[in-house]
Amino acid sequence: YLPIIYIITPTNIRAEQKADLTRMSHTLKLVNNIHWIVVEDSENKSSMVSRLLERSGLNYTHLNVLTPPQFKMASKDPNWLKPRGVLQRNAGLDWLRNQKRFLAEQGVLYFADDDNTYSLDIFQEMRYTQKVSVWPVGLVGYLRYERPVVKNRKVVGWFTAWKPDRPFAMDMAGFAVNVQLVHKYPEAKFSNEVQRGYQESTFLTGLKLTLDDLEPRANMCTEVLVWHTRTEKSSMKNEDKLMKKYGKATN
Ligand code: UDP
Ligand code: MN
């Protein structure tokens, strides 16, 4: 049988949100036995996301938690200034840990941002994870890809230019963890208080892992099966012009 894959996706409101979530949901429709935990960064659940999830036909849980203003990026902030999706991923973790049925269930947890690009193969790679599986991530860290360095089938370091001395110097999209482990260490979570770039390391250190525990996938971390693509902000500078001409009717 297939272990279930729990996918936690933080998502924030923006013009491109529906496009990104549509693409992602259509990817996930092609994957068996998954449960999508979508956590809106908002005070209330939006009807757009509610409808999108309902129509998708996927197994899902819809949550929301607002990032307080002091942790929120201003639109002119450089994108690296503040961590994104921290409280949302934690809300997903809380939900998962409260699922008593998963105590006996085989499963794996993956943190998947809404704007990345996922090969269907990555879900096969993560499905049978003992503790933590790891793989390369494309288009990240000002590199074509980052990857765990593997020697004799073990992870021995990180092919990463930025802060390579982090305990687990990889992107959020580069690992998946067994849900039993998530349950065993209920304190493992993300934090708005840690140094820039340390979200992944903070969570994985909380699971009491060492490099030796990591299971290199994607052909010993030689294949890129997920990309940290980023959706370009669309300019709306012609909106006003047409609003004046036609009024508010846009549908
Ligand atoms: N996100 C969020 N709140 C925010 C900004 C982003 O929940 O204020 C979500 C976003 O939808 C995405 C994830 O957090 O799923 C990572 O954000 P983003 O893709 O903007 O980060 P980057 O790709 O620049 O690392
Ligand atoms: Mn992104």
Side-chain angles (χ1 to χ4, degrees):
Y1 79 107
L2 283 184
I4 188 163
I5 300 176
Y6 292 93
I7 298 167
I8 294 181
T9 300
T11 186
N12 69 312
I13 186 165
R14 60 198 191 277
E16 301 79 12
Q17 183 182 24
K18 190 175 182 182
D20 282 339
L21 286 174
T22 297
R23 179 177 48 213
M24 182 163 184
S25 69
H26 289 190
T27 299
L28 296 183
K29 277 163 76 82
L30 300 171
V31 187
N32 284 324
N33 213 21
I34 60 161
H35 189 109
W36 196 18
I37 303 157
V38 177
V39 192
E40 289 193 71
D41 186 344
S42 62
E43 205 167 349
N44 299 110
K45 294 180 182 69
S46 69
S47 55
M48 186 279 279
V49 175
S50 304
R51 275 188 315 220
L52 188 139
L53 288 171
E54 200 47 53
R55 283 183 195 166
S56 73
L58 293 162
N59 295 320
Y60 70 86
T61 296
H62 185 185
L63 306 171
N64 66 287
V65 54
L66 182 70
T67 304
Q70 70 268 31
F71 295 120
K72 197 83 180 170
M73 282 201 314
S75 58
K76 57 182 183 325
D77 281 348
N79 72 68
W80 44 259
L81 196 66
K82 301 224 174 77
R84 277 135 290 165
V86 169
L87 298 186
Q88 292 71 30
R89 292 188 194 95
N90 283 346
L93 280 168
D94 286 344
W95 178 88
L96 191 58
R97 285 173 170 136
N98 280 322
Q99 300 304 299
K100 297 303 173 209
R101 66 187 161 91
F102 101 99
L103 271 168
E105 201 176 67
Q106 290 303 316
V108 58
L109 169 63
Y110 185 48
F111 297 102
D113 290 351
D114 57 7
D115 58 342
N116 290 342
T117 303
Y118 303 93
S119 164
L120 298 179
D121 298 337
I122 200 64
F123 300 99
Q124 295 200 36
E125 295 293 327
M126 73 178 72
R127 179 95 57 186
Y128 297 92
T129 296
Q130 304 289 311
K131 284 188 170 179
V132 182
S133 16
V134 296
W135 48 76
V137 176
L139 310 177
V140 72
Y142 300 96
L143 295 168
R144 287 179 299 155
Y145 55 82
E146 292 179 348
R147 64 182 287 257
V149 178
V150 178
K151 213 176 154 187
N152 299 326
R153 312 181 78 81
K154 287 287 181 188
V155 176
V156 295
W158 308 99
F159 180 83
T160 304
W162 191 68
K163 299 191 181 179
D165 294 333
R166 287 172 288 163
F168 300 95
M170 57 183 158
D171 185 77
M172 204 64 79
F175 65 91
V177 308
N178 189 303
V179 290
Q180 304 291 344
L181 204 60
V182 176
H183 190 80
K184 189 171 170 194
Y185 298 105
E187 295 305 311
K189 52 176 181 282
F190 301 96
S191 164
N192 274 312
E193 315 291 342
V194 300
Q195 253 194 80
R196 206 142 60 74
Y198 277 73
Q199 291 302 329
E200 297 83 356
S201 291
T202 300
F203 176 68
L204 292 170
T205 305
L207 296 176
K208 311 287 178 215
L209 294 161
T210 63
L211 286 195
D212 206 49
D213 294 319
L214 306 181
E215 300 147 48
R217 300 288 157 108
N219 201 5
M220 289 295 142
C221 297
T222 60
E223 287 172 23
V224 175
L225 300 173
V226 55
W227 293 263
H228 186 257
T229 44
R230 304 184 68 220
T231 303
E232 184 184 9
K233 267 216 150 330
S234 295
S235 167
M236 305 288 165
K237 69 185 167 99
N238 278 338
E239 280 284 325
D240 281 354
K241 198 155 73 181
L242 286 204
M243 286 283 250
K244 271 185 209 125
K245 195 167 166 194
Y246 294 107
K248 200 184 166 291
T250 51
N251 46 348

